[in-house]
Amino acid sequence: MYGDTSIQKPMKIAEPTSEEQAKLEARFQQMVDDDIKIEPQDWMPDAYRKTLVRQMSQHAHSEVIGMQPEGNWLTRAPSLRRKVILLAKIQDEGGHGLYIYSAAETLGTSREDMCKALRDGKAKYSSIFNYPALTWADIGTIGWLVDGAAITNQVALSKGSYGPYCRAMIRICKEESFHQRQGYELLLSLSKGTAEQKAMLQDSVNRFWWPSLMMFGPNDADSPHSAQSMKWKIKKKSNDQLRQEFIDATVPQAEFLGITLPDPDLKWNEERGHYDYGEIDWEEFAHVIKGNGPCNKQRAAAYTKAHEDGAWVREAANAYAAKHAAQAAE
Ligand SMILES: [Fe+2]
Ligand SMILES: [Fe+2]
């Protein structure tokens, strides 16, 4: 039945002795070390399962909430071509959410429970989606920087240890590259436009640059769970490594657009072979994560409203499924 939330929970067998537990853990870690994907039926430590459920549900929520700032511009896209592209992109994001919820359900948590946690304000999503899309240029910047940062993250995730998550990431990354390119192409048009369009482009990048860098999370020194996640290969690269990768790839693209990035400390470091960059405003990051960003309340309200507005669809689907189940039982 559509609304049936009874997901098969991992079978409870008798508790293993501590010796058996140690053997199971060692075998699990060996599989991870040997790059053998962990599959739903495999034994896994409870903390590994919990960490994955938290991370994957947070990821799925980000895909779904991320539809809001862009959806805001669908009726105002400047041409039919732009509207079609934006519509396709937003639909992809909804699909990414469903894909990742399905992958997370293989760990024994239902999508309904995960979504309820989001409605109840108990689950988080990426801080970036609490910033508004104020101008049309923001649609391009979101594709270029936000999807660009997401790809950097997700390519690393696709090489992780949990099979269903990795496989979802491979497909999603292909779509994300389209998202990144449509954004960059939009900005490229603006960069060749009027002085007003160029100014709109620069203003948009000024607002989105730092929040995009925050998408990679706190500095490694302040990221307490990272070491365990790296050992389990849930994470393949550290927050700072990924952030650096993103910056190194993005700066030349900004130069090609003829814009400046709002960081006076940003410069190529010949010795390191990377760009140096300034300090991120971690206070702002904490502020947004705690629910006090510019759009946190608006995003939560829109999400809950969409759920409530969809109640009749769920009821109808359940009634339909019940009717067919009754017919089949006759
Ligand atoms: Fe996505
Ligand atoms: Fe995307």
Side-chain angles (χ1 to χ4, degrees):
M1 207 187 282
Y2 176 81
D4 183 2
T5 59
S6 60
I7 292 293
Q8 216 183 347
K9 295 263 190 284
M11 230 202 304
K12 274 266 180 246
I13 324 168
E15 288 289 315
T17 62
S18 58
E19 197 182 323
E20 284 165 342
Q21 177 82 15
K23 262 192 204 160
L24 287 167
E25 269 171 30
R27 202 179 57 179
F28 170 83
Q29 190 59 49
Q30 195 58 53
M31 282 174 77
V32 172
D33 294 344
D34 292 345
D35 285 326
I36 298 169
K37 299 279 183 224
I38 305 298
E39 297 298 337
Q41 69 276 14
D42 291 330
W43 184 91
M44 60 187 87
D46 276 348
Y48 175 85
R49 188 186 297 277
K50 267 190 206 137
T51 305
L52 267 176
V53 167
R54 198 192 55 228
Q55 184 177 323
M56 289 167 78
S57 61
Q58 207 165 298
H59 188 166
H61 298 332
S62 303
E63 302 282 355
V64 172
I65 296 287
M67 296 163 82
Q68 290 189 36
E70 295 181 302
N72 183 33
W73 279 91
L74 268 178
T75 55
R76 291 176 288 165
S79 69
L80 181 61
R81 176 174 173 268
R82 291 290 178 201
K83 184 184 255 190
V84 170
I85 294 171
L86 183 58
L87 193 57
K89 196 250 186 210
I90 295 171
Q91 283 178 332
D92 282 355
E93 305 299 8
H96 295 173
L98 298 187
Y99 229 66
I100 303 169
Y101 284 129
S102 297
E105 284 193 322
T106 64
L107 291 160
T109 306
S110 74
R111 176 176 146 201
E112 179 49 33
D113 284 350
M114 292 183 265
C115 293
K116 188 173 181 308
L118 181 59
R119 290 197 301 280
D120 293 345
K122 288 180 190 147
K124 295 211 181 312
Y125 54 87
S126 177
S127 59
I128 190 76
F129 301 116
N130 293 311
Y131 291 85
L134 298 175
T135 65
W136 174 248
D138 288 359
I139 295 304
T141 308
I142 289 172
W144 176 42
L145 295 181
V146 177
D147 289 87
I151 299 172
T152 312
N153 235 327
Q154 292 174 161
V155 166
L157 289 173
S158 74
K159 299 183 180 111
S161 59
Y162 189 56
Y165 196 24
C166 300
R167 290 189 287 274
M169 283 303 109
I170 291 168
R171 155 117 182 233
I172 287 174
C173 281
K174 288 185 182 155
E175 293 180 349
E176 297 297 3
S177 349
F178 154 67
H179 299 170
Q180 200 262 359
R181 272 194 262 172
Q182 66 84 31
Y184 194 71
E185 194 255 355
L186 194 166
L187 297 183
L188 208 50
S189 310
L190 291 179
S191 75
K192 293 175 187 151
T194 62
E196 208 182 343
Q197 284 171 317
K198 287 178 191 166
M200 179 167 66
L201 158 62
Q202 182 64 62
D203 163 71
S204 173
V205 172
N206 288 348
R207 284 181 287 109
F208 273 92
W209 176 249
W210 289 107
S212 302
L213 298 188
M214 293 175 196
M215 284 174 71
F216 297 95
N219 286 333
D220 293 350
D222 303 316
S223 185
H225 304 300
S226 279
Q228 182 59 70
S229 286
M230 298 276 275
K231 191 173 173 227
W232 280 333
K233 295 190 184 169
I234 289 176
K235 254 180 131 123
K236 293 281 283 188
K237 290 179 181 171
S238 78
N239 296 355
D240 287 333
Q241 262 177 311
L242 290 166
R243 189 164 15 243
Q244 184 73 63
E245 232 174 70
F246 172 71
I247 292 172
D248 290 349
T250 308
V251 174
Q253 296 170 359
E255 282 164 7
F256 192 76
L257 285 174
I259 51 164
T260 54
L261 293 169
D263 178 0
D265 296 324
L266 190 69
K267 59 174 178 299
W268 180 252
N269 182 325
E270 194 63 54
E271 225 169 277
R272 291 202 310 126
H274 292 291
Y275 283 92
D276 288 339
Y277 55 97
E279 188 59 38
I280 290 168
D281 183 350
W282 293 115
E283 243 172 72
E284 177 182 325
F285 179 67
H287 190 70
V288 178
I289 292 279
K290 277 186 202 131
N292 304 315
C295 299
N296 295 59
K297 290 180 184 71
Q298 188 184 326
R299 301 289 183 245
Y303 181 76
T304 301
K305 184 179 183 300
H307 178 77
E308 284 163 3
D309 289 351
W312 70 273
V313 180
R314 290 188 295 278
E315 276 162 29
N318 281 340
Y320 185 77
K323 190 174 89 179
H324 277 263
Q327 275 169 358
E330 269 169 21

